């Protein structure tokens, strides 16, 4: 319900958290309107309560660069638009402010350094090649299930040294961890959520105990268990940080891989450009992450009354950073709806965030996407959608549930 205070505010004409916009692929126009007319706007009512929308590239970056005013800490609120019950707010380092964030990030980040990534790249390339060798040519299959999911889950198994036979558990836990939708509010769902998270914690605790008994190594779980900042985490904090890596690394890259098929289908000339000049592939990987923006938003909580984009934001209010909109900002990306593998500033996208929380796994995601594009280019194939895809019903993850396709050799 709109209040007296709302009257002084720029009230959004559309609730951009409405999942119908994403399921029906109708989000472009409402965000274009917000960028043009009210880059910072207030939505008084939504399934998640009132929230501010920040819609332009410059303002999203400005908020990210001021973590003292715009907090990520789970103690002040959640990091996505929904407010689950406090017991399921995950106390991990993406949901922390300095100094806790700084100390914990320092433990995890070296597991993604260039030499570690070079090692992972070899395995990613081999696994991708093997997966493509086994795909049917000329038959319809689900790209999400047969390509995007196994490639991203496979990468997580490598990262955690997790048995491939147990990969379905990882996928299920990732889906639970990343689910932001009105259904998560029901008691039945919360009970299921607790049970799954409990199972995940028990499974990873076994792994962590095993690492504890061994000398420290560069392995991600070993770093967690042997470091000062993370070695003393309580069970909930341990679970939360593992869930962060599983969800962070999974749905994001998965939906970029599916978005690639849609982009190449809508802009068929781009595959010809990549075939003619494979040196464009790394840029194409950045461009698909911009174009798809698989994480629609992150949320901050305002810690003190402040001005942003001509609006007064009050202490305690939710501020939603719409990356999906910032990445369509025409003042930065001309003809932003076009997927252009040669776009000269594709790297300026904010799909990985910006500032102190910028994605730790960005390089790993780039490696996976470059490898996938290289494989499509090298094999001289085209991936043709067979009918409309089923899109995710989420205001947080922008992606696909199913995508029927056929591989056509050219
Ligand atoms: C943080 C997006 C892949 C792990 C983030 C953030 C975004 C993001 C938006 C928050 C940034 C902010 O609040 O400013 C993406 C996208 C990916 C991707 C679009 C793929 C295309 C990965 C991968 C991993 C990963 C592969 C690891 C396996 C993390 C972690 C953080 C993070 C640990 C927390 C960083 C911090 O708070 O300091 N990512 N991510 N992400 N991501 Fe990613």
């Amino acid at each position: 319900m709109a209040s007296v205070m709302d009257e002084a505010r720029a009230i959004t004409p559309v609730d951009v958290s409405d999942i119908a916009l994403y399921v029906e692929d109708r989000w472009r126009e409402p965000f274009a309107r917000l960028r043009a007319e009210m880059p910072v706007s207030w939505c008084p009512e939504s399934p998640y309560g009132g929230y501010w929308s920040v819609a332009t590239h410059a303002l999203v970056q400005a908020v990210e660069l001021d973590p003292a005013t715009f907090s990520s800490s789970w103690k002040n609120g959640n990091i996505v638009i929904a407010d689950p019950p406090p017991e399921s707010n995950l106390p991990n380092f993406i949901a922390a402010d300095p100094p806790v964030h700084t100390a914990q990030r320092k433990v995890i980040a070296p597991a993604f350094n260039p030499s570690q990534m070079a090692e992972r790249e070899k395995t990613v390339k081999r696994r991708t090649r093997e997966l493509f060798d086994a795909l049917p040519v000329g038959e319809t299959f689900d790209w999400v299930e047969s390509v995007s999911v196994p490639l991203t889950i496979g990468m997580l198994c490598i990262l955690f040294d997790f048995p491939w036979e147990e990969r379905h558990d990882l996928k299920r836990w990732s889906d639970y961890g990343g689910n932001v939708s009105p259904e998560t509010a029901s008691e039945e769902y919360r009970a299921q959520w607790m049970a799954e998270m409990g199972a995940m914690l028990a499974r990873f605790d076994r792994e962590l105990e095993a690492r504890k008994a061994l000398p420290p190594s560069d392995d991600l779980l070993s770093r967690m268990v042997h470091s000062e900042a993370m070695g003393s985490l309580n069970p909930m904090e341990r679970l939360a940080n593992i869930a962060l890596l599983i969800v962070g690394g999974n749905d994001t890259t998965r939906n970029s891989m599916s978005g690639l098929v849609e982009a190449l289908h809508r802009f068929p000339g781009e595959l010809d450009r990549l075939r003619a000049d494979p040196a464009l592939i790394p840029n194409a990987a950045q461009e698909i992450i911009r174009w798809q923006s698989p994480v629609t938003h992150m949320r901050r909580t305002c810690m003190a009354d402040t001005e942003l984009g001509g609006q007064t934001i009050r202490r305690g209010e939710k501020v939603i950073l719409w990356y999906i909109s910032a990445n369509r900002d025409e003042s930065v990306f001309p003809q932003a709806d076009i997927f252009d593998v040669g776009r000269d500033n594709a790297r300026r996208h904010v799909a990985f965030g910006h500032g102190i929380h910028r994605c730790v796994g960005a390089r790993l995601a780039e490696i996976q996407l470059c490898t996938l594009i290289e494989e499509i280019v090298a094999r001289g194939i085209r991936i043709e959608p067979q009918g409309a895809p089923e899109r995710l019903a989420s205001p947080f993850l922008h992606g696909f549930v199913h995508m029927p396709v056929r591989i056509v050799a050219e």
Side-chain angles (χ1 to χ4, degrees), residues 113-168:
N113 69 24
S115 64
Q116 291 275 328
M117 287 302 100
E119 270 311 300
R120 308 276 185 235
E121 187 166 5
K122 289 184 215 153
T123 322
V124 168
K125 281 190 190 306
R126 181 174 50 76
R127 287 259 177 98
T128 308
R129 226 176 13 249
E130 287 168 3
L131 182 126
F132 268 79
D133 284 344
L135 286 176
V137 175
E139 274 173 38
T140 300
F141 64 92
D142 184 354
W143 180 264
V144 176
E145 194 183 304
S146 302
V147 178
S148 309
V149 168
L151 286 182
T152 43
I153 291 285
M155 179 276 295
L156 282 181
C157 288
I158 299 167
L159 202 61
F160 287 120
D161 214 359
F162 198 80
W164 178 241
E165 312 78 66
E166 295 178 43
R167 64 190 179 280
H168 300 296

Side-chain angles (χ1 to χ4, degrees), residues 60 64 72 79 92-96 101-102 104-105 108 112 152 155-156 159-160 220 241 244-257 285 288-289 293-300 321 323 349-366 368-369 396:
V60 164
E64 298 246 25
S72 292
I79 50 161
N92 49 30
F93 72 94
I94 199 173
H101 168 261
T102 324
Q104 294 191 0
R105 181 174 167 121
I108 297 295
F112 295 87
T152 43
M155 179 276 295
L156 282 181
L159 202 61
F160 287 120
L220 193 58
N241 278 297
L244 165 62
L245 288 158
I246 294 178
V247 177
N250 190 9
D251 302 72
T252 52
T253 316
R254 179 201 301 178
N255 288 312
S256 306
M257 288 179 165
I288 192 57
I289 295 168
S293 296
V295 176
T296 62
H297 75 268
M298 293 298 292
R299 167 243 181 121
R300 301 292 188 263
L321 308 178
Y323 301 132
H349 70 74
V350 286
F352 288 130
H354 187 69
I356 62 168
H357 286 281
R358 188 179 186 274
C359 180
V360 154
R363 181 66 199 127
L364 187 53
E366 285 163 22
Q368 291 183 89
L369 285 161
F396 174 54

Side-chain angles (χ1 to χ4, degrees), residues 256-279:
S256 306
M257 288 179 165
S258 304
L260 174 72
V261 171
E262 182 155 75
L264 290 175
H265 176 66
R266 286 196 191 169
F267 302 93
E270 297 308 284
L271 182 55
D272 300 326
R273 285 175 80 190
L274 292 168
R275 285 174 178 163
D277 183 5

Side-chain angles (χ1 to χ4, degrees), residues 31-46:
F31 279 118
R33 204 168 152 197
L34 290 189
R35 287 192 302 275
E37 295 171 15
M38 45 179 89
V40 177
S41 62
W42 174 247
C43 180
E45 264 181 284
S46 82

Side-chain angles (χ1 to χ4, degrees), residues 291-350:
W291 191 84
Q292 178 63 25
S293 296
V295 176
T296 62
H297 75 268
M298 293 298 292
R299 167 243 181 121
R300 301 292 188 263
T301 304
C302 185
M303 299 308 289
D305 293 4
T306 194
E307 293 288 312
L308 184 75
Q311 298 290 307
T312 303
I313 299 182
R314 301 275 175 211
R315 183 185 155 80
E317 289 178 334
K318 280 184 205 188
V319 179
I320 309 299
L321 308 178
W322 291 107
Y323 301 132
I324 195 169
S325 174
N327 285 337
R328 288 295 199 277
D329 189 330
E330 298 265 340
S331 69
V332 180
F333 307 110
Q335 296 192 289
D337 280 334
I338 290 180
F339 173 66
D340 170 5
V341 296
R343 186 181 290 283
D344 60 11
N345 67 353
R347 277 185 178 273
R348 282 193 65 199
H349 70 74
V350 286

